[in-house]
Amino acid sequence: LTMTLVSGSSISSAAPTSLLITLTNPTALQSPPAVMAEVPGVIAKVKVAGDILRGSTGQWTTAKIGESSNRLSGTNVITVTLQPDTNLVPFNVVTISGLLNSLTADSTAIAITNSVFF
């Protein structure tokens, strides 16, 4: 899943930005995937999880993932919350990877809802 900021948009380092991604859950239990986030050439790829190391530019000060449902075969809204320690500007590319093994076809392009940035 790759999102490109459109002209005139930005992701501020002053507050977290949440991305809502709707998927269909798998029919069987599985281990959680290793979901990663990066902005090539600006912020290195990191696992989206709890607290992330802070300090220098080019890092996520917040990188979290959550889901609306863990019910087998149920609709699930995945929420990825990101806050960079530097402002992202138009045409920076935010990449979310590792959202695999749901009943929604694996793809490099998944619809993003509830976001004014993409």
Side-chain angles (χ1 to χ4, degrees), residues 6-103:
V6 296
S7 181
S9 66
S10 64
I11 295 179
S12 173
S13 62
T17 298
S18 294
L19 311 172
L20 302 179
I21 304 165
T22 302
L23 303 173
T24 302
N25 286 337
T27 58
L29 297 175
Q30 67 178 18
S31 297
V35 177
M36 309 295 283
E38 70 177 310
V39 179
V42 179
I43 299 175
K45 183 185 286 189
V46 297
K47 183 176 179 185
V48 179
D51 292 329
I52 301 298
L53 295 174
R54 302 168 193 234
S56 65
T57 60
Q59 293 184 356
W60 300 110
T61 58
T62 300
K64 298 179 183 178
I65 191 165
E67 63 183 348
S68 65
S69 170
N70 62 2
R71 187 176 186 142
L72 297 177
S73 301
T75 299
N76 192 1
V77 177
I78 305 297
T79 302
V80 178
T81 302
L82 302 171
Q83 180 178 355
D85 68 353
T86 187
N87 292 330
L88 302 181
V89 296
F91 308 107
N92 280 145
V93 176
V94 178
T95 301
I96 307 295
S97 60
L99 289 171
L100 304 172
N101 303 320
S102 72
L103 290 181

Side-chain angles (χ1 to χ4, degrees), residues 100-116:
L100 304 172
N101 303 320
S102 72
L103 290 181
T104 302
D106 292 344
S107 173
T108 58
I110 298 175
I112 306 276
T113 56
N114 196 28
S115 175
V116 297

